[in-house]
Amino acid sequence: MEEVEWTPRQPRAEDLRVGLISWAGSYLTYEPYKNTVTATAKGLGRRQTWEILVSNQHDTQAVVRLRSLQGLYLLCEADGSLCYGRPRTSHHGCFLIRFHRNGQWTLQCIISGRYLESDGEDVFCTSRVLSAYHMWTPRPALHVHVILFSPLNHCYARADPTMGRVWVDAPIPCLEECGFLLHFQDGCYHLETSAHTFLSHLDRLVSQPSTQTAFHMQVRPGGLVALSDGEGGMLYPQGTRLLLSLGSSPHGGEEWFILQRCPTWVSLRSKSRKFLSVVYDVEVCAASEHVSPMSLFQFECDNETPTLQLRSANGCYLAQRRHRAVMADGHPMECETFFRMHWNCGKILLQSPNGRFLCIAANGLLMASATIPGPNEEFGIRLANRPFLALRGRYGYVGTSSEHDLLQCNMDQPDCIHLLPCRQGIYHFQAQGGSFWSITSFGTFRPWGKFALNFCIELQGSNLLTVLAPNGFYMRSDRSGTLLADSEDITKECIWEF
């Protein structure tokens, strides 16, 4: 079989969403009960998230509409007031975005020529004379665990903890070193590696965030970002080894990266404790006792239906073929690559398009032959590129607060939950200080337990999961901001982005 080039996925809706921060540090917010738009919120939540729909784009400007998560649009009326709803004409709700060198945006109403501005609370379009009050800072609204893809070099950024550097040389983002946490603080961004070090202006990884690890970000619709030090230096790959470092003369768009959520890579283990691996280019068998690059699969799942695609490091998808064999030679649009997933206490069962369940044949090959699932059809599954979780629910991230002794689920920035694998699908949750998560009799959590407890993780989408807590209930976010484990069924509040 000819080698298939790894193809980065196309941008998704969440890659095109931003929060817009006014000069006063507050976010553009739609108020669903008042049909108004304000700029009073101090954090980025669902009502502060806008999808940028581009109709025409050039280097320094674009014509766009701003759509809320409710599906309604930001609209400028003739008197300069703002509301949100559905456009009445082809230009109603259209804005001309200009991208300024300091990373800020201005939004000018196409019909009236007036600029979107805020007085710190209210938002309106009344002035045609540009001023500092018309400046908006875009903040990407995607989950903070991200990867950086260089479209010019066709490679991903990769942290090298041994050398203390970041290289742009990974053709496939299957390593945990390709994932970064993007921290937003005081208008700047800090890039944290999976080993919890930070990229600095000196091109080296350092142990603590500081002014030397703070970068300014330029954002373009579609997930394109560029990072700078604010003094003329741009971050881009340099030299023969493509070291990610500051420089003053990028060529041909070297400084631009596509910012995407960190993909989910997993390993699958059979009942005989052998890992599924791709051998001889396309055959899939359970033969290896150790994880290798060819035993890693990208977990791609439709969030609306329980169908799953597994993408091998060879660039192809697992697909059911003749004689019920499963091969790693599928393409993303083939119906034979879609498998229905079922969960059983942290283990996964995969049902092929012919209705039969995947199992390991006597010769070790992966087959779709079982009509009734049993222990032989259960596969242990483990996150391969995630040494930690950063969980985001309906009201924000999971983390600690100085104002509460219980874990909260409405934070603007997450705390990392370090994963200590116990059994397949079962993990111990360790807090940042080295203590363990503990659970109270009320189903709330504290981050300073002395003993490790078992948490069962089940994947529900490409970047979605549920957590079955030690008390037998699903962990969920609560409107009050307190993290709870009291749900018998999986509801929307039990689904976590990671």
Side-chain angles (χ1 to χ4, degrees):
M1 177 183 175
E2 294 182 2
E3 185 176 351
V4 177
E5 183 181 354
W6 183 266
T7 304
R9 68 165 175 80
Q10 294 299 310
R12 294 173 178 163
E14 59 264 26
D15 299 330
L16 311 176
R17 294 172 184 161
V18 299
L20 291 172
I21 308 171
S22 73
W23 62 272
S26 54
Y27 288 79
L28 185 69
T29 304
Y30 64 88
E31 306 289 351
Y33 302 110
K34 302 177 183 178
N35 192 31
T36 59
V37 180
T38 64
T40 56
K42 296 300 182 182
L44 178 58
R46 294 178 61 83
R47 292 189 294 115
Q48 293 77 40
T49 299
W50 300 89
E51 187 175 344
I52 308 297
L53 303 178
V54 180
S55 59
N56 195 0
Q57 182 171 352
H58 299 286
D59 289 340
T60 59
Q61 60 188 33
V63 177
V64 304
R65 278 193 169 104
L66 274 65
R67 184 169 65 188
S68 72
L69 294 184
Q70 285 191 336
L72 300 177
Y73 295 81
L74 179 68
L75 303 174
C76 179
E77 303 299 352
D79 61 357
S81 64
L82 289 168
C83 64
Y84 75 103
R86 301 199 180 279
R88 296 187 294 272
T89 66
S90 60
H91 289 93
H92 193 208
C94 286
F95 292 87
L96 176 67
I97 288 184
R98 287 189 175 90
F99 310 118
H100 297 268
R101 296 188 65 180
N102 62 0
Q104 293 181 313
W105 292 357
T106 51
L107 292 93
Q108 186 179 23
C109 176
I110 289 290
I111 296 177
S112 68
R114 298 186 177 98
Y115 289 97
L116 183 72
E117 66 177 297
S118 167
D119 61 4
E121 292 185 359
D122 296 322
V123 184
F124 38 86
C125 274
T126 57
S127 175
R128 290 188 176 93
V129 181
L130 192 62
S131 72
Y133 297 105
H134 302 123
M135 295 293 175
W136 297 85
T137 301
R139 177 185 174 184
L142 80 172
H143 191 280
V144 297
H145 200 176
V146 299
I147 54 175
L148 293 165
F149 175 71
S150 170
L152 197 66
N153 297 290
H154 298 282
C155 283
Y156 297 84
R158 174 186 64 87
D160 184 347
T162 303
M163 299 288 291
R165 302 292 184 93
V166 175
W167 315 97
V168 186
D169 64 355
I172 303 171
C174 61
L175 303 173
E176 66 180 60
E177 289 82 6
C178 293
F180 297 87
L181 288 172
L182 195 64
H183 296 284
F184 181 75
Q185 185 177 3
D186 299 327
C188 292
Y189 293 85
H190 302 262
L191 209 57
E192 182 181 357
T193 72
S194 60
H196 304 299
T197 55
F198 295 83
L199 181 63
S200 73
H201 295 178
L202 303 176
D203 312 331
R204 292 190 175 275
L205 299 176
V206 297
S207 59
Q208 296 294 331
S210 68
T211 55
Q212 287 296 301
T213 66
F215 291 92
H216 298 264
M217 180 183 286
Q218 295 185 35
V219 181
R220 297 289 185 272
L224 275 176
V225 300
L227 295 166
S228 69
D229 62 359
E231 299 178 355
M234 300 297 298
L235 203 60
Y236 60 96
Q238 300 180 47
T240 56
R241 293 196 59 189
L242 300 177
L243 171 68
L244 188 61
S245 59
L246 285 172
S248 58
S249 55
H251 299 289
E254 287 178 308
E255 72 275 23
W256 291 103
F257 291 86
I258 296 176
L259 187 71
Q260 294 179 336
R261 284 203 304 192
C262 186
T264 302
W265 286 78
V266 300
S267 61
L268 296 166
R269 210 172 188 180
S270 67
K271 184 184 177 183
S272 62
R273 304 186 65 81
K274 301 289 181 66
F275 289 99
L276 290 188
S277 302
V278 178
V279 297
Y280 306 119
D281 291 335
V282 297
E283 289 188 355
V284 185
C285 68
S288 175
E289 295 181 355
H290 304 282
V291 175
S292 70
M294 296 311 295
S295 56
L296 301 181
F297 300 91
Q298 187 174 344
F299 192 98
E300 299 183 13
C301 182
D302 183 352
N303 299 340
E304 302 299 326
T305 59
T307 56
L308 165 69
Q309 289 179 298
L310 291 171
R311 189 183 190 186
S312 169
N314 69 3
C316 292
Y317 292 79
L318 297 195
Q320 179 198 324
R321 296 307 187 202
R322 295 179 60 188
H323 307 298
R324 300 174 185 169
V326 176
M327 312 290 281
D329 63 354
H331 299 281
M333 301 306 294
E334 288 185 88
C335 62
E336 290 83 5
T337 65
F338 289 88
F339 299 88
R340 192 174 183 87
M341 61 179 180
H342 307 267
W343 287 96
N344 183 25
C345 299
K347 293 186 177 182
I348 193 170
L349 297 97
L350 299 174
Q351 191 174 14
S352 68
N354 69 1
R356 295 177 181 267
F357 290 85
L358 271 56
C359 62
I360 304 301
N363 59 3
L365 292 177
L366 184 63
M367 306 288 289
S369 58
T371 55
I372 300 176
N376 290 329
E377 287 67 51
E378 291 180 347
F379 292 92
I381 185 168
R382 182 166 292 177
L383 296 170
N385 66 331
R386 304 284 181 137
F388 59 84
L389 292 178
L391 296 180
R392 181 166 71 172
R394 291 182 64 82
Y395 309 111
Y397 287 98
V398 172
T400 53
S401 168
S402 59
E403 301 174 358
H404 303 88
D405 64 343
L406 299 174
L407 282 165
Q408 301 295 296
C409 60
N410 60 353
M411 307 298 293
D412 188 59
Q413 298 283 341
D415 284 0
C416 286
I417 307 165
H418 292 276
L419 297 176
L420 302 180
C422 178
R423 299 190 303 273
Q424 298 295 321
I426 307 296
Y427 295 86
H428 301 322
F429 282 9
Q430 190 175 37
Q432 288 178 308
S435 56
F436 295 96
W437 276 32
S438 64
I439 187 168
T440 71
S441 57
F442 300 103
T444 55
F445 296 93
R446 290 190 172 97
W448 51 70
K450 294 182 179 179
F451 305 103
L453 301 177
N454 292 341
F455 291 82
C456 178
I457 291 177
E458 296 181 351
L459 301 179
Q460 305 294 337
S462 295
N463 287 87
L464 301 175
L465 57 76
T466 53
V467 178
L468 192 62
N471 64 355
F473 293 96
Y474 284 100
M475 199 168 78
R476 70 172 180 89
S477 55
D478 188 74
R479 190 179 295 273
S480 68
T482 302
L483 182 66
L484 292 171
D486 62 358
S487 180
E488 295 183 4
D489 302 312
I490 297 176
T491 65
K492 289 183 178 180
E493 291 184 329
C494 299
I495 302 295
W496 300 94
E497 287 183 77
F498 70 102

